[in-house]
Amino acid sequence: MVLEEHKSLKAYNTFGIDCNARYFISAKSVTALKEVLSKYANKEIFILGGGSNMLLTKDIDALVVHVDIRGISVVSEDEQHVQVKAMAGENWHDFVLYCIEQGYGGIENLSLIPGNIGTAPIQNIGAYGVELKDVFHSCSALNVQDLTEETFYKSDCEFQYRDSIFKNKAKGKYIITSVTLTLTKKDHTLSTSYGAIQQELKEQQVTEPTIEAISKAVIAIRQSKLPDPAKLGNSGSFFKNPVIDSDAFQEFRSNFPDAPFYEVSPTEFKIPAGWLIEQAGFKGKRFGDAGVHDRQALVLINHGTATGNDIWELALRIQKAVKAQFGIYIEPEVNII
Ligand code: EPU
């Protein structure tokens, strides 16, 4: 393992922000990770996974540990189900494709989500009617204090919309080293209720959808709306969709009867932040190299040389404008560093 100094993190975050790490090291196994943590116990540690859910607004004056542990294995299987374990450094989408190739169903709707396996449970990634929690069995995590490995089962993770225990009370205390999912080998439960998926399957003339067809449809939808981070720096949805209570919703509805919404429960209503941002006039707007995507207003982009602060200033400006126009606070989904 090589300890590098003053290393640019541009290639390690999907926004493509050029900030430096004071120290940087890649850990390629759980043993190596433990070694790093004990050897540099005196240094402040910053854990880096796929870098797909963070906005760097400054250099990181710490030891950045890049979790680069690879490997996929079947833990157990019967006729119907398979438990697949993937190590934290595996790329999420490559893993989805591997599962589809093997005929394992359950995560096809989560195709093309940027990031790595290890970060997927932290924000309970979700798209097109499916969330990670629906297939999650457990994950292994290294306790950074005593370097023991602990298992978190689904019920331990406190999963919610883009949220888990790892964003709350377990924050900073664990490094996820692997994730185990329970997937189906046959009689897959297909989730095609999402309008855009139905439309895409129709266009592709698919009458009896398979996991592969759904994955292809999701890839086509995402590619048509969401920018490829390899070409245009971004971090997916920058904000969460806000959830408001019945009173706030009644008022919102009477002022904006055409606004889209989803009923989360009889007392909670989710409003698409993309719609709010578009209505506030930001869709496709650009301020220097910081911008708002022209096909999905929820995605902020780096047109080239934006700094993290340029993006953050734009985010604050959007937040303020949405609050002024709709009285609704939109909260970032991305971690601001
Ligand atoms: N909308 C607009 N203008 C926009 C964007 C959206 O009016 O610029 C409206 C759409 O017309 C639609 C509604 O907002 O009525 C919802 O839009 P969309 O289906 O694109 O989904 P979203 O709520 O904006 C969420 C996730 C995405 C996920 C999609 C599909 C969050 C924060 N985002 O977006 O996740 O891919 O649903 O399930 O929940 C991510 O987390 O990085 C991400 C991309």
Side-chain angles (χ1 to χ4, degrees):
M1 280 183 293
V2 188
L3 182 73
E4 296 175 71
E5 290 194 52
H6 304 292
K7 186 177 172 79
S8 168
L9 296 174
K10 191 168 163 55
Y12 292 88
N13 70 100
T14 59
F15 255 124
I17 303 288
D18 196 7
C19 282
N20 285 339
R22 177 67 187 88
Y23 302 99
F24 180 95
I25 203 161
S26 266
K28 296 201 180 292
S29 66
V30 178
T31 314
L33 191 57
K34 285 184 189 171
E35 261 173 50
V36 170
L37 295 181
S38 59
K39 187 168 172 191
Y40 299 107
N42 60 334
K43 285 199 183 347
E44 196 190 327
I45 301 282
F46 180 96
I47 298 299
L48 176 67
S52 62
N53 204 36
M54 63 179 197
L55 176 67
L56 290 170
T57 62
K58 55 178 185 292
D59 289 340
I60 301 183
D61 189 22
L63 168 58
V64 173
V65 180
H66 179 223
V67 181
D68 194 20
I69 312 170
R70 304 300 178 102
I72 299 174
S73 57
V74 169
V75 179
S76 69
E77 61 186 315
D78 58 23
E79 287 234 317
Q80 179 71 27
H81 294 102
V82 58
Q83 265 180 25
V84 191
K85 174 176 166 180
M87 303 308 288
E90 288 288 338
N91 174 270
W92 171 262
H93 180 60
D94 290 346
F95 175 68
V96 173
L97 294 181
Y98 163 86
C99 289
I100 288 166
E101 219 165 81
Q102 303 298 312
Y104 302 157
I107 50 175
E108 52 283 354
N109 293 50
L110 305 180
S111 297
L112 214 60
I113 293 186
N116 287 354
I117 291 283
T119 29
I122 299 178
Q123 58 153 343
N124 180 25
I125 56 170
Y128 307 105
V130 173
E131 286 184 334
L132 183 77
K133 73 168 170 50
D134 303 332
V135 290
F136 184 89
H137 174 268
S138 58
C139 65
S140 291
L142 193 63
N143 182 322
V144 295
Q145 281 304 314
D146 59 16
L147 304 188
T148 55
E149 277 188 83
E150 294 178 30
T151 302
F152 286 77
Y153 293 97
K154 183 154 132 177
S155 54
D156 301 322
C157 292
E158 299 174 10
F159 286 128
Q160 288 194 51
Y161 168 60
R162 295 293 191 278
D163 203 21
S164 76
I165 192 168
F166 302 108
K167 271 185 148 183
N168 297 292
K169 59 178 182 265
K171 191 174 179 176
K173 296 184 179 150
Y174 294 92
I175 301 169
I176 295 172
T177 53
S178 71
V179 174
T180 301
L181 305 181
T182 304
L183 302 174
T184 45
K185 287 168 69 176
K186 58 179 189 180
D187 307 329
H188 307 295
T189 310
L190 303 179
S191 182
T192 55
S193 59
Y194 200 91
I197 292 194
Q198 283 177 8
Q199 204 181 322
E200 187 62 38
L201 290 173
K202 208 169 152 194
E203 268 166 37
Q204 296 185 8
Q205 296 179 335
V206 176
T207 45
E208 285 186 27
T210 58
I211 53 174
E212 198 175 8
I214 292 175
S215 172
K216 284 201 171 122
V218 168
I219 290 172
I221 300 164
R222 289 189 77 100
Q223 283 176 338
S224 72
K225 281 196 198 178
L226 300 167
D228 176 357
K231 296 185 187 130
L232 203 53
N234 77 90
S235 198
S237 301
F238 192 90
F239 296 99
K240 288 190 205 178
N241 287 328
V243 176
I244 57 176
D245 66 21
S246 315
D247 289 347
F249 179 67
Q250 291 312 331
E251 200 187 326
F252 176 75
R253 263 308 256 176
S254 62
N255 291 331
F256 308 98
D258 299 329
F261 67 91
Y262 323 98
E263 189 176 324
V264 181
S265 75
T267 55
E268 293 169 305
F269 298 84
K270 195 185 267 186
I271 315 294
W275 185 87
L276 299 171
I277 297 167
E278 179 171 350
Q279 297 299 309
F282 284 95
K283 194 169 185 170
K285 283 276 162 67
R286 184 171 170 170
F287 303 84
D289 267 356
V292 178
H293 192 46
D294 55 1
R295 276 171 281 157
Q296 165 52 291
L298 196 46
V299 178
L300 301 191
I301 45 187
N302 175 6
H303 284 282
T305 58
T307 63
N309 277 318
D310 294 338
I311 306 266
W312 184 227
E313 271 169 29
L314 172 58
L316 292 175
R317 191 193 282 217
I318 291 171
Q319 207 177 38
K320 210 169 152 194
V322 167
K323 178 81 181 149
Q325 191 169 340
F326 301 99
I328 294 178
Y329 170 72
I330 51 172
E331 182 194 351
E333 185 202 293
V334 169
N335 292 310
I336 315 300
I337 310 295

